[in-house]
Amino acid sequence: MVCFSSPAEQHIWRNPTNLMCRGKSGLVSMPVNVGLVQGHLLCAGEEYPITGQHPVCRIFSSEDDATTSTLNDYDLFGSAAIFKESIDALISTGLMTKSTIPVTSSTLPASEIMVYKKHPFVDKPWTRVNLRSIEPVNYALVDLSHPLQGGAMDGVRDEQAILDNIPYSRVFYHAFPGAIITHRGQRYKVQSMTRPPAFADSSIGYKGGTLAAYAKPTTARYLTRPLSTSKITVVKQMERIDDFGAKKKREKATKDMSMYADHDAMLEKEIIEGSLAGNGVVNFRKSVHGYKKISLITRAELSRTELSLPAMEFDTFAFWLDTEASSLRSVVKDYDEGVHALSHAILAVAPLFVPSGSGDLDCDHNVYDCTRLVIFDVRAGGSGTSAELFKFVFLPDGLLHSAVDMMENCSHCKGDFGYEGGCPSCLHFGNCLKFNQDLNRTAAIHIGRRLLARIETTDLYKKNKSRQDGEQQENRESRNLAFSPRRKSRASALRNAQEVNPTKSRQVVLGRPGWPTDTENEPGCRQVQAE
């Protein structure tokens, strides 16, 4: 395996056994949710009736559900809950119809099953599924200099004038009026953009086709950087993890006193009992209130411009971890910067546990009065990536352990004393709203260790650890049973050979090898005792 400089690959290079000890069961290739499934259900209903909990072969075969190996639609489209919610939404909007058809069985009497089909008036349902973005609302970046567009800013005149499509979650940040963007080596300046609707259907891709940002080529010798504020509000908590047994583990949590900035103050600190973590639905609200121009040559700030844009707001999935602000803020130097850096570290190691990229997950980049770290799905409506990632928080050698280990063992930052901002190999995140400023690696390690100590006191962690230990013991026993007597004797002999100390001292020849005619007094050959 060839490893490059990304945080995930560097972690694998330092811990190669972690890659090989996870078994053959792969993770889901793409987390699914209701918004993602509905368009695909509509396309599937165009080809063949959807049978729900029954395999599709029940329509034309008498084979029972229990005897067939064909997957049903519940398995194919994520889960029964996702399938039912998606079908109900499609039926309520009139895009799909349901009916019953008779089926036969070799062991059961004749019966009927419910099937779902695309409504006849829905033409070409595949046009409702955007393969470039799964977000319900997208903006088209239109080139005003294109001959077919003719400089018009009242809609897209021809698809050939579209440079690219930008998801709603990023359009106000990258294509605001006045922004300088680069497309295929050509620089463009955004002139205006369409105001989004107050409400949009988040079930299937937005079909309006009028949302666009209009840009034209420019020779401006500066780049733009947006000025924004963001706010994350928990809307619905799906799961909550408490640590009410934390005080019993106080000695373990305070054993390593070097991790805190003020040792005397730490003696009075106890792990606070209460809510430790949770996951659910959050409301993400970000507003761009201006931008600044930066010189391409000196990188100096040239000017700032105010903007009046509507706030970008959507609901998505997320999980959050309490960082004990009331206890650690007074003893950990640069506490807020440490929470920010720890969030970046979790994003860096996330691909080790779930299939994800830099455009799938994001964190709360706020560095003022931080009380928790939040990891959320970037896509409006959520993609389910953060929900999958949350399952690895309370596992031995899980998500947080890997993040702290990565920061502690970063070869580029380990010997760089005096600088705590991290590097591209550990903490720098390409989509950081603060442009990788306000980061503190040492504070992040302190907060991460403290958080790990709290996680180890929870019942969920203990349950997962005992189950993991049991599975490892079963694997060892199964391997031992699989050994033949000859293989067992060879393994035993190999262990004994490794434990036996050599009884004879070895002679090491330094210089050219000595020939039989050479003597010890001649130069070029000298025998010394091996250490």
Side-chain angles (χ1 to χ4, degrees):
M1 178 178 180
V2 179
C3 295
F4 295 95
S5 60
S6 68
E9 295 184 18
Q10 287 300 307
H11 179 82
I12 293 175
W13 177 259
R14 292 190 297 268
N15 305 275
T17 56
N18 291 354
L19 183 66
M20 307 303 297
C21 67
R22 298 188 181 184
K24 295 181 293 184
S25 299
L27 297 169
V28 293
S29 59
M30 181 63 186
V32 296
N33 63 354
V34 175
L36 179 64
V37 166
Q38 289 184 35
H40 295 279
L41 278 174
L42 201 60
C43 295
E46 166 78 7
E47 299 175 358
Y48 212 77
I50 299 174
T51 54
Q53 62 181 340
H54 305 284
V56 69
C57 61
R58 282 297 307 276
I59 297 178
F60 53 85
S61 174
S62 60
E63 190 176 5
D64 296 335
D65 295 353
T67 59
T68 181
S69 59
T70 306
L71 296 177
N72 56 36
D73 291 329
Y74 286 176
D75 298 327
L76 293 174
F77 291 97
S79 65
I82 293 177
F83 177 85
K84 292 178 180 178
E85 186 175 353
S86 302
I87 284 291
D88 291 342
L90 291 172
I91 293 176
S92 63
T93 55
L95 297 176
M96 296 197 75
T97 61
K98 62 179 179 178
S99 60
T100 57
I101 60 174
V103 295
T104 59
S105 175
S106 58
T107 58
L108 299 175
S111 60
E112 295 182 343
I113 62 173
M114 184 74 68
V115 297
Y116 308 91
K117 298 180 181 179
K118 176 191 69 68
H119 198 281
F121 82 86
V122 180
D123 186 31
K124 298 180 180 180
W126 52 86
T127 60
R128 298 173 177 264
V129 180
N130 191 343
L131 298 180
R132 300 194 63 181
S133 173
I134 67 172
E135 292 194 18
V137 180
N138 294 272
Y139 270 73
L141 183 62
V142 182
D143 183 7
L144 292 175
S145 63
H146 196 279
L148 298 179
Q149 184 66 21
M153 292 188 291
D154 56 352
V156 181
R157 298 297 178 86
D158 192 276
E159 292 186 356
Q160 298 183 29
I162 298 178
L163 298 174
D164 200 355
N165 291 317
I166 304 178
Y168 173 70
S169 60
R170 301 197 339 247
V171 65
F172 289 151
Y173 198 75
H174 295 284
F176 52 86
I180 302 296
I181 59 178
T182 303
H183 179 74
R184 295 183 177 179
Q186 174 66 50
R187 295 169 59 82
Y188 293 84
K189 182 177 181 180
V190 178
Q191 303 297 315
S192 66
M193 63 186 306
T194 308
R195 190 178 185 90
F199 301 96
D201 182 12
S202 61
S203 59
I204 304 178
Y206 185 71
K207 291 282 293 179
T210 59
L211 298 182
Y214 304 95
K216 64 179 181 180
T218 182
T219 58
R221 304 301 299 169
Y222 61 86
L223 57 88
T224 55
R225 181 172 293 179
L227 304 173
S228 63
T229 57
S230 61
K231 181 180 180 181
I232 300 176
T233 306
V234 177
V235 176
K236 183 178 181 180
Q237 184 171 256
M238 303 287 191
E239 187 177 1
R240 172 177 170 176
I241 308 298
D242 299 321
D243 58 342
F244 292 120
K247 287 187 178 181
K248 298 179 182 180
K249 297 293 183 180
R250 181 187 176 190
E251 294 182 0
K252 182 177 181 181
T254 60
K255 185 177 180 180
D256 186 6
M257 303 304 297
S258 63
M259 59 183 275
Y260 293 96
D262 190 343
H263 295 176
D264 296 333
M266 184 53 211
L267 292 174
E268 303 177 359
K269 302 295 180 183
E270 291 185 353
I271 296 178
I272 299 177
E273 295 181 348
S275 178
L276 171 60
N279 73 332
V281 180
V282 299
N283 178 267
F284 179 76
R285 181 184 177 90
K286 180 170 65 176
S287 59
V288 176
H289 55 82
Y291 65 94
K292 54 185 177 181
K293 298 179 181 179
I294 300 177
S295 172
L296 289 175
I297 300 175
T298 63
R299 298 293 174 175
E301 182 177 333
L302 302 177
S303 63
R304 295 196 177 195
T305 305
E306 293 185 1
L307 293 174
S308 178
L309 295 175
M312 181 186 64
E313 184 175 356
F314 58 87
D315 291 345
T316 185
F317 292 131
F319 73 85
W320 50 90
L321 301 173
D322 177 63
T323 54
E324 286 189 286
S326 58
S327 298
L328 300 185
R329 189 182 298 276
S330 59
V331 295
V332 176
K333 184 180 179 181
D334 296 329
Y335 167 81
D336 294 327
E337 289 80 357
V339 174
H340 187 201
L342 183 58
S343 302
H344 279 212
I346 292 177
L347 293 176
V349 300
L352 294 172
F353 301 93
V354 297
S356 61
S358 59
D360 296 323
L361 293 170
D362 204 348
C363 66
D364 186 2
H365 298 280
N366 183 32
V367 291
Y368 300 101
D369 296 330
C370 298
T371 59
R372 64 190 177 189
L373 62 88
V374 182
I375 306 296
F376 62 91
D377 295 336
V378 171
R379 298 180 178 91
S383 62
T385 308
S386 62
E388 290 292 327
L389 191 62
F390 183 69
K391 299 177 183 178
F392 297 92
V393 174
F394 293 87
L395 290 179
D397 298 330
L399 178 67
L400 195 60
H401 181 273
S402 299
V404 174
D405 179 75
M406 178 198 66
M407 291 186 291
E408 290 178 336
N409 297 302
C410 180
S411 59
H412 300 283
C413 300
K414 203 169 184 179
D416 190 1
F417 300 101
Y419 176 71
E420 300 292 347
C423 68
S425 296
C426 58
L427 295 182
H428 289 185
F429 180 57
N431 297 331
C432 178
L433 300 182
K434 301 296 182 181
F435 299 96
N436 293 311
Q437 299 176 358
D438 301 321
L439 298 172
N440 191 294
R441 173 174 158 269
T442 301
I445 294 175
H446 296 169
I447 298 171
R449 288 180 182 174
R450 175 80 168 192
L451 194 53
L452 278 174
R454 296 181 65 191
I455 288 176
E456 293 176 359
T457 65
T458 60
D459 295 335
L460 180 59
Y461 178 88
K462 296 175 183 177
K463 181 180 177 180
N464 291 334
K465 182 175 177 56
S466 62
R467 185 179 70 245
Q468 190 178 62
D469 293 341
E471 292 176 354
Q472 293 177 353
Q473 181 65 24
E474 291 178 1
N475 293 335
R476 286 194 294 267
E477 293 176 356
S478 62
R479 287 196 298 267
N480 293 335
L481 293 175
F483 284 170
S484 63
R486 182 179 178 182
R487 191 173 181 180
K488 288 183 179 179
S489 61
R490 292 179 61 186
S492 177
L494 180 61
R495 288 194 300 269
N496 294 334
Q498 292 174 345
E499 295 173 358
V500 174
N501 294 323
T503 57
K504 294 184 177 181
S505 59
R506 294 178 290 112
Q507 301 293 331
V508 180
V509 178
L510 302 180
R512 68 177 177 86
W515 296 93
T517 56
D518 293 338
T519 61
E520 294 183 359
N521 296 329
E522 294 181 358
C525 180
R526 182 167 55 92
Q527 292 185 344
V528 297
Q529 190 74 20
E531 295 181 357

